[in-house]
Amino acid sequence: MSTQSLFEELGGKETIALVVDRFYEKMLTDEELKHFFDFTDMKKQRAHLTAFVSFAIGSQEAYKGKSMKEAHAHLHIQTKHFEKTAGHLVATLQELNVPQEKIDTIISKIAPLHDDIVTVKE
């Protein structure tokens, strides 16, 4: 049994940054989602998401950004947006040959954030 965190098993911050870059390539070309980033400094956004995901999967570096609720409060995000975003994340991880059990672990860390990120209750 490995004593490494998932963060370490995946290759650390460099690998997570690659995942985030590829993930945002999908998000920014998705007609239904790209408008959420119209006024976003994507360099900062990529750094924030890299830090958040790294922390969520075991990095020892503390996440210092806004809470998910605070960061998404003004965006009018619906469940369909959340699910499509999760789909882009899964597709990115699959493209990078991340084993399915590790993808499942990552999604299990993100799924509980639904209520903090989805701001439009349907």
Side-chain angles (χ1 to χ4, degrees), residues 59-76:
S59 169
Q60 296 303 307
E61 192 173 325
Y63 173 70
K64 297 178 178 125
K66 294 178 181 177
S67 71
M68 290 298 109
K69 189 172 199 110
E70 184 181 1
H72 296 91
H74 66 288
L75 293 175
H76 309 291

Side-chain angles (χ1 to χ4, degrees), residues 20-28 37 42 45 49:
V20 167
D21 284 344
R22 294 222 182 143
F23 167 75
Y24 277 126
E25 287 173 11
K26 289 176 178 31
M27 295 291 287
L28 294 172
F37 304 97
M42 289 308 296
Q45 183 63 27
L49 188 60

Side-chain angles (χ1 to χ4, degrees), residues 2-13:
S2 173
T3 58
Q4 287 186 315
S5 69
L6 182 54
F7 173 75
E8 293 165 325
E9 288 177 31
L10 293 177
K13 194 169 188 173

Side-chain angles (χ1 to χ4, degrees), residues 2-120:
S2 173
T3 58
Q4 287 186 315
S5 69
L6 182 54
F7 173 75
E8 293 165 325
E9 288 177 31
L10 293 177
K13 194 169 188 173
E14 185 176 305
T15 301
I16 302 306
L18 174 64
V19 169
V20 167
D21 284 344
R22 294 222 182 143
F23 167 75
Y24 277 126
E25 287 173 11
K26 289 176 178 31
M27 295 291 287
L28 294 172
T29 58
D30 186 308
E31 292 298 322
E32 194 172 353
L33 301 174
K34 69 181 184 178
H35 73 277
F36 289 115
F37 304 97
D38 284 347
F39 302 103
T40 302
D41 177 335
M42 289 308 296
K43 184 176 180 180
K44 284 183 181 179
Q45 183 63 27
R46 282 180 168 87
H48 283 301
L49 188 60
T50 298
F52 175 76
V53 171
S54 295
F55 178 72
I57 63 170
S59 169
Q60 296 303 307
E61 192 173 325
Y63 173 70
K64 297 178 178 125
K66 294 178 181 177
S67 71
M68 290 298 109
K69 189 172 199 110
E70 184 181 1
H72 296 91
H74 66 288
L75 293 175
H76 309 291
I77 296 172
Q78 299 173 18
T79 294
K80 68 180 181 177
H81 301 132
F82 182 87
E83 290 172 352
K84 198 165 193 190
T85 298
H88 286 313
L89 178 59
V90 168
T92 300
L93 293 166
Q94 289 171 336
E95 288 168 10
L96 293 170
N97 299 314
V98 174
Q100 188 61 47
E101 70 272 5
K102 293 185 186 333
I103 293 172
D104 293 344
T105 299
I106 292 167
I107 294 303
S108 76
K109 305 250 184 223
I110 293 169
L113 299 172
H114 176 277
D115 290 347
D116 288 343
I117 293 171
V118 173
T119 56
V120 177

